[in-house]
Amino acid sequence: QVRLVESGGGLVQAGGSLRLSCSASERTFSSYTMGWFRQAPGKEREFVATITDNGRMTDYAVAVKGRFEISRDNAKKTVYLQMNGLKPDDAAVYYCAASRFLTLSTLSARYVYWGQGTQVTVYS
């Protein structure tokens, strides 16, 4: 069982930045592909970004490409999501998730462990 805890959410003005963190309890964190997803009120959960176990490959949703950056520090068992140029449409609960698949995946069904989420609110 992998326990994931997100932090770093908050209230930010449009155009601002936030950095989300997700800490894992599992010592084999480095063997998981990690992802960030988000869910806005009344909408389905959607893919945001993913990173391979070694951090060498990443993928992003079209809506955030060029503004968000996913990274990881396996020594700290933590994955990050740097969010720049935030827009009101980015407001959502952000979740990190862990997948045993060794390839990048945008599909939530491939992720077996999920955090509790952290709220991001963007005002204009």
Side-chain angles (χ1 to χ4, degrees), residues 5-120:
V5 179
E6 301 97 335
S7 61
L11 179 66
V12 63
Q13 190 172 18
S17 299
L18 282 175
R19 188 194 196 201
L20 306 183
S21 299
C22 172
S23 297
S25 62
E26 176 60 46
R27 60 183 175 88
T28 60
F29 169 80
S30 61
S31 65
Y32 290 90
T33 291
M34 298 299 295
W36 284 97
F37 292 77
R38 66 187 183 186
Q39 187 168 19
K43 296 186 177 181
E44 293 188 355
R45 186 173 299 184
E46 64 176 3
F47 164 75
V48 176
T50 181
I51 187 168
T52 51
D53 56 351
N54 56 16
R56 291 177 181 172
M57 296 180 64
T58 59
D59 194 15
Y60 298 89
V62 172
V64 307
K65 193 170 291 186
R67 299 188 296 122
F68 290 11
E69 181 177 9
I70 188 172
S71 61
R72 66 190 297 163
D73 185 334
N74 285 341
K76 295 183 178 179
K77 296 183 291 182
T78 301
V79 62
Y80 305 96
L81 185 68
Q82 177 67 44
M83 305 186 296
N84 300 321
L86 282 161
K87 305 175 182 179
D89 284 349
D90 295 318
V93 177
Y94 282 71
Y95 300 89
C96 73
S99 169
R100 293 195 181 102
F101 285 86
L102 297 181
T103 56
L104 297 172
S105 179
T106 65
L107 301 175
S108 60
R110 289 197 165 188
Y111 292 81
V112 293
Y113 301 112
W114 293 81
Q116 83 290 347
T118 185
Q119 178 72 50
V120 171

